[in-house]
């Protein structure tokens, strides 16, 4: 009787208690997000099938959990990039509103734009800097350079480049050439560079309108002075 009891206890411990303990440990680890634990119990009875089912479930959940973590990191990275892009556009609008005619401001903005949008190269060209016929061109790459060049369309010569024109009232004020490894651009990149180009176009458009208003005021002032001189001379002659 003692021998039979010992054998039964050993069978209960090895065939029931041990696998149940391992299943409980696995359930606790799975609850904590650890799906690497496996139950080392292989038999043809119900507990063996349960252990095998648990191992398959843990493996599937582990793969799904890893995919979800990758997707969350990807979405978080995209949100961070879009947040950085929005902050940059806000800073660009304020900087151009404060110093709309500063070459240094444009150089800093172009460098920052390339880093935020993760472009390989940005060539920024304004046709007629200060609207007096001179051309301002600035290229931002790993090794930044500044040069005054004649306007050319390099986007047609480079398969990895795309050009965005800066237009105002139907006239081209300049262009931005983007060189990126991934073309076409991602939706957020395209929207970002379009908005940036629109901010620059409006800035130069406001400069042109302001110059026109100043010219009109100057013409009106000269006309007023001319009328006063004419009246004064006429009165003197009379």
């Amino acid at each position: 009787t003692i021998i039979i009891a010992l054998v039964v206890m050993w069978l209960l411990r090895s065939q029931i208690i041990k696998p149940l303990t391992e299943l409980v440990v696995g359930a606790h680890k799975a609850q904590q997000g650890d799906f690497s634990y496996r139950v080392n119990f292989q038999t043809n009875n119900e507990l063996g099938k349960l252990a095998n089912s648990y191992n398959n479930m843990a493996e599937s959940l582990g793969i799904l959990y890893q995919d979800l973590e990758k997707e969350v990191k990807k979405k978080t990275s995209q949100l961070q990039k879009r947040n950085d892009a929005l902050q940059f556009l806000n800073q660009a609008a304020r900087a151009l509103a404060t110093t709309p005619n500063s070459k240094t401001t444009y150089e800093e903005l172009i460098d920052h734009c390339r880093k935020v949008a993760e472009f390989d190269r940005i060539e920024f060209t304004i046709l007629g800097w200060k609207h007096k016929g001179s051309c301002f061109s600035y290229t931002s790459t790993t090794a930044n350079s500044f040069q005054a060049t004649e306007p050319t369309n390099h986007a047609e010569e480079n398969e990895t480049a795309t050009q965005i024109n800066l237009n105002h009232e139907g006239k081209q004020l300049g262009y931005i050439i983007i060189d990126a490894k991934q073309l076409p651009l991602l939706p957020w990149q395209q929207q970002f560079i379009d908005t940036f180009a629109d901010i620059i176009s409006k800035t130069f458009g406001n400069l042109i309108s302001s110059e026109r208003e100043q010219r009109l005021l100057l013409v009106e002032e000269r006309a007023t002075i001319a009328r006063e001189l004419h009246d004064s001379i006429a009165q003197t002659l009379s």
Side-chain angles (χ1 to χ4, degrees):
T1 302
I2 294 174
I3 293 174
I4 292 173
L6 292 175
V7 170
V8 170
M9 292 177 60
W10 177 79
L11 290 175
L12 287 174
R13 180 177 178 81
S14 61
Q15 300 297 322
I16 297 177
I17 297 176
K18 184 178 179 180
L20 285 177
T21 303
E22 291 185 3
L23 286 171
V24 171
V25 173
H28 283 297
K29 288 185 175 295
Q31 185 178 7
Q32 297 173 358
D34 182 11
F35 301 102
S36 61
Y37 182 80
R38 298 292 182 269
V39 178
N40 298 319
F41 183 74
Q42 302 295 330
T43 58
N44 295 325
N45 57 18
E46 287 76 7
L47 288 176
K49 294 179 180 179
L50 181 60
N52 189 29
S53 298
Y54 169 81
N55 291 335
N56 293 333
M57 179 195 68
E59 183 177 0
S60 300
L61 289 176
I63 295 174
L64 180 61
Y65 193 75
Q66 291 177 359
D67 292 340
L68 287 176
E69 283 186 341
K70 291 179 181 179
E71 190 66 22
V72 169
K73 290 181 180 179
K74 181 180 178 181
K75 294 294 184 182
T76 303
S77 177
Q78 291 178 354
L79 288 175
Q80 184 63 41
K81 290 178 181 178
R82 293 179 181 180
N83 185 35
D84 293 340
L86 289 175
Q87 290 181 354
F88 168 77
L89 292 174
N90 186 24
Q91 294 174 0
R94 287 186 296 178
L96 293 178
T98 305
T99 55
N101 222 5
S102 171
K103 291 183 179 181
T104 304
T105 300
Y106 284 98
E107 292 172 9
E108 293 175 354
L109 289 177
I110 292 301
D111 290 337
H112 195 183
C113 175
R114 178 182 60 82
K115 295 175 182 178
V116 171
E118 300 179 349
F119 295 142
D120 296 332
R121 181 181 68 95
I122 292 183
E123 180 180 345
F124 171 70
T125 300
I126 289 296
L127 311 176
W129 179 260
K130 295 184 180 179
H131 323 301
K132 295 181 181 179
S134 61
C135 176
F136 168 74
S137 180
Y138 179 76
T139 301
S140 175
T141 58
T142 304
N144 293 327
S145 61
F146 168 77
Q147 56 182 351
T149 60
E150 294 297 328
T152 56
N153 190 345
H154 299 289
E156 296 179 354
E157 304 173 0
N158 194 346
E159 295 180 353
T160 63
T162 180
Q163 176 172 324
I164 299 176
N165 294 328
L166 306 176
N167 299 320
H168 177 69
E169 295 180 353
K171 295 182 180 180
Q172 183 178 359
L173 303 177
Y175 55 82
I176 299 176
I177 295 179
I178 302 163
D179 194 356
K181 295 180 180 179
Q182 182 179 358
L183 286 179
L185 299 177
L186 297 176
W188 75 269
Q189 289 177 320
Q190 187 67 50
Q191 185 178 8
F192 167 72
I193 195 63
D194 288 341
T195 305
F196 182 54
D198 186 56
I199 291 174
I200 295 178
S201 299
K202 289 182 178 179
T203 299
F204 275 91
N206 292 334
L207 285 176
I208 294 174
S209 300
S210 178
E211 285 188 0
R212 288 177 180 174
E213 291 178 359
Q214 292 178 0
R215 290 176 182 175
L216 289 174
L217 290 175
L218 183 60
V219 170
E220 291 178 358
E221 184 177 358
R222 289 177 178 177
T224 302
I225 294 174
R227 286 194 299 270
E228 291 178 354
L229 287 175
H230 180 271
D231 294 341
S232 177
I233 293 174
Q235 290 176 0
T236 302
L237 290 175
S238 300

